[in-house]
């Protein structure tokens, strides 16, 4: 059996001065163990850059000098984040969550600056040197390729939600299907969805416009995954960019599963309000927002407008039968009325 390595064990190895590269080849890393390794790599990259007197990313702002911004943009710390953007872009493309040059990703890199993906490049084939540095108004500060045309939405999320360290936007087909129908996925069916995602729908506006960004930003106080009507999905994370991407995997798998459930032909079984309440406690402890935090149990599981199985449970209307004839119907009614009148 494979050894499971937790974040605590990774931290102990690092504290002992050991090398996480020496873990057994078949070791299974928990998601937080992977985060711990990545954080360590980032810290090491940042300290490697300190020798070039580059200020740490978080101290930078749009007011920093051009030389400071350029130095940061070319530092090992920024390179580590650019590589993360490329990695997540590749995963979005491999899972068919993006099409053409669609989708975009951003990482907060200072008080009011962010690293982001370029426009007109497939997310599956980006290189670190394609990445861009922008201020929170969308002005490009560094990078040779032009920043994504949808950056304003990412920046408006970061402005509105100070905890958002990274954002991810793509067009995953099953989730986007719900966004096109204007339907929120029903709740109380699968634990991962309840714990990690808090979904809302923003109305349609032209992609890339400040109006679109505002409608999304208005929702990010209490939601971390926003369906964009007739367009796609955008998510944010208080942890890192991979966590923002995980919201996409969780939402997309969920939407796909409940559409399969709808085809099984039986009404879906749902968890009880008490069971959901337990999941919401975990969600709260993880620092993940949800408008249902603090609601009473009786308010939790009965307010969805659509559920798998609902459509197939509705009996066919009698007037939908083949061969319906208005004239014959009127004649039958006239005769019935006559008979009823004679019986009085
Ligand atoms: Zn888009």
């Amino acid at each position: 059996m494979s050894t499971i390595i937790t974040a605590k064990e990774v931290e102990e190895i690092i504290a002992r001065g050991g090398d996480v590269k020496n873990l057994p080849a078949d070791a299974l890393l928990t998601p937080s163990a992977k985060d711990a390794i990545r954080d360590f790599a980032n810290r090491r990259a940042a300290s490697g850059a300190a020798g070039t007197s580059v200020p740490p990313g978080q101290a930078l702002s749009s007011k920093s000098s051009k030389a400071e911004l350029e130095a940061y943009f070319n530092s090992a710390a920024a390179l580590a984040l650019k590589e993360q953007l490329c990695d997540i872009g590749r995963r979005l493309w491999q899972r068919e969550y993006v099409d053409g040059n669609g989708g975009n990703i951003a990482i907060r890199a200072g008080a009011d600056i962010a690293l982001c993906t370029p426009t007109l490049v497939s997310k599956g084939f980006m290189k670190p040197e394609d990445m861009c540095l922008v201020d929170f108004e969308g002005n490009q500060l560094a990078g040779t390729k032009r920043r994504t045309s949808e950056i304003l939405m990412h920046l408006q999320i970061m402005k509105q939600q100070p905890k958002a360290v990274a954002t991810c936007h793509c067009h995953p087909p099953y989730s986007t299907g719900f966004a096109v129908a204007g339907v929120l996925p029903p709740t109380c069916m699968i634990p991962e969805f309840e714990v990690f995602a808090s979904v809302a729908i923003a109305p349609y506006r032209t992609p890339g416009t400040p109006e679109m960004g505002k409608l999304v930003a208005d929702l990010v106080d209490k939601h971390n995954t926003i369906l964009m009507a007739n367009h796609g999905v955008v998510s944010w994370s208080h942890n890192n960019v991979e966590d923002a991407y995980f919201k996409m995997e969780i939402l997309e798998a969920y939407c796909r599963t409940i559409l399969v459930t709808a085809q099984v032909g039986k009404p879906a079984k749902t968890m009880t309000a008490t069971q959901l309440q337990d999941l919401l406690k975990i969600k709260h402890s993880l620092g993940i927002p949800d408008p249902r935090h603090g609601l009473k149990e009786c308010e939790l599981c009965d307010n969805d407008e659509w559920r798998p199985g609902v459509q197939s449970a509705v009996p066919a209307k009698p007037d939908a039968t083949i061969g319906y004839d208005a004239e014959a119907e009127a004649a039958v009614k006239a005769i019935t009325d006559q008979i009823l009148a004679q019986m009085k």
Side-chain angles (χ1 to χ4, degrees):
M1 228 181 90
S2 317
T3 322
I4 295 173
I5 306 284
T6 64
K8 195 165 182 295
E9 288 167 301
V10 166
E11 273 152 19
E12 282 168 3
I13 293 167
I14 292 167
R16 284 200 306 269
D19 193 340
V20 285
K21 287 194 184 112
N22 297 334
L23 290 171
D26 65 340
L28 286 175
L29 295 166
T30 65
S32 43
K34 288 181 188 167
D35 285 348
I37 291 174
R38 191 175 319 100
D39 289 348
F40 174 63
N42 288 347
R43 280 202 305 277
R44 202 163 50 177
S47 64
T52 59
S53 76
V54 175
Q58 292 304 316
L60 283 179
S61 78
S62 59
K63 304 275 180 300
S64 301
S65 71
K66 187 148 180 51
E68 280 175 329
L69 291 167
E70 278 291 335
Y72 168 70
F73 189 69
N74 295 312
S75 70
L79 177 62
L81 297 179
K82 291 173 185 174
E83 283 171 347
Q84 287 178 25
L85 289 168
C86 295
D87 174 51
I88 297 303
R90 192 160 43 246
R91 289 157 76 176
L92 288 171
W93 184 82
Q94 281 169 339
R95 292 200 72 132
E96 301 183 17
Y97 292 179
V98 288
D99 39 277
N101 297 320
N104 23 80
I105 322 162
I107 300 177
R108 192 188 286 265
D112 62 349
I113 57 172
L115 286 161
C116 71
T117 52
T119 189
L120 299 177
V121 176
S122 164
K123 300 295 115 32
F125 302 89
M126 298 186 297
K127 296 188 271 314
E129 56 267 34
D130 294 335
M131 300 304 134
C132 316
L133 185 69
V134 292
D135 68 19
F136 270 16
E137 303 310 313
N139 301 308
Q140 187 144 350
L141 304 172
T144 48
K145 289 228 159 80
R146 186 162 167 68
R147 63 24 171 209
T148 165
S149 61
E150 290 188 275
I151 190 61
L152 289 181
M153 174 174 73
H154 298 257
L155 301 170
Q156 281 166 285
I157 292 173
M158 289 180 187
K159 278 201 259 189
Q160 179 69 30
Q161 177 50 272
K163 290 185 194 154
V165 298
T167 47
C168 178
H169 163 59
C170 58
H171 312 145
Y174 292 89
S175 318
T176 304
F178 278 86
V180 171
V183 170
L184 270 177
T187 54
C188 297
M189 289 202 256
I190 290 184
E192 279 71 17
F193 177 75
E194 301 299 345
V195 171
F196 296 109
S198 303
V199 182
I201 302 187
Y204 178 82
R205 292 291 185 280
T206 304
T209 58
E211 294 75 31
M212 180 70 257
K214 180 177 184 320
L215 288 168
V216 166
D218 283 348
L219 297 166
V220 297
D221 243 10
K222 296 206 164 119
H223 303 273
N224 60 15
T225 311
I226 313 296
L227 291 174
M228 301 161 67
N230 302 89
H231 183 163
V233 190
V234 62
S235 62
W236 64 267
S237 167
H238 63 299
N239 289 324
N240 52 52
V241 69
E242 185 178 44
D243 186 53
Y245 162 77
F246 279 162
K247 313 284 181 234
M248 295 300 175
E249 283 196 359
I250 291 164
L251 173 66
E252 182 68 351
Y254 185 71
C255 290
R256 193 173 169 186
T257 303
I258 57 178
L259 286 176
V260 172
T261 307
Q263 294 176 334
V264 172
K266 296 267 184 190
K269 290 191 167 37
T270 52
M271 57 187 74
T272 64
T274 310
Q275 289 167 335
L276 179 68
Q277 193 70 284
D278 283 346
L279 297 175
L280 288 175
K281 277 182 203 154
I282 299 171
K283 188 172 206 167
H284 192 63
S285 74
L286 294 171
I288 300 174
D290 194 300
R292 298 170 298 179
H293 288 324
L295 283 187
K296 295 195 199 85
E297 278 188 7
C298 61
E299 298 168 307
L300 289 177
C301 274
D302 56 355
N303 46 7
D304 298 310
E305 58 177 297
W306 182 88
R307 276 199 177 276
V310 168
Q311 282 93 335
S312 58
V314 176
K317 286 183 186 161
D319 62 0
T321 44
I322 298 165
Y324 172 75
D325 181 332
E327 232 176 272
E329 181 84 1
V332 168
K333 186 174 184 306
I335 294 165
T336 310
D337 288 347
Q338 268 179 28
I339 294 169
L340 287 173
Q342 283 167 12
M343 286 168 68
K344 277 184 185 165

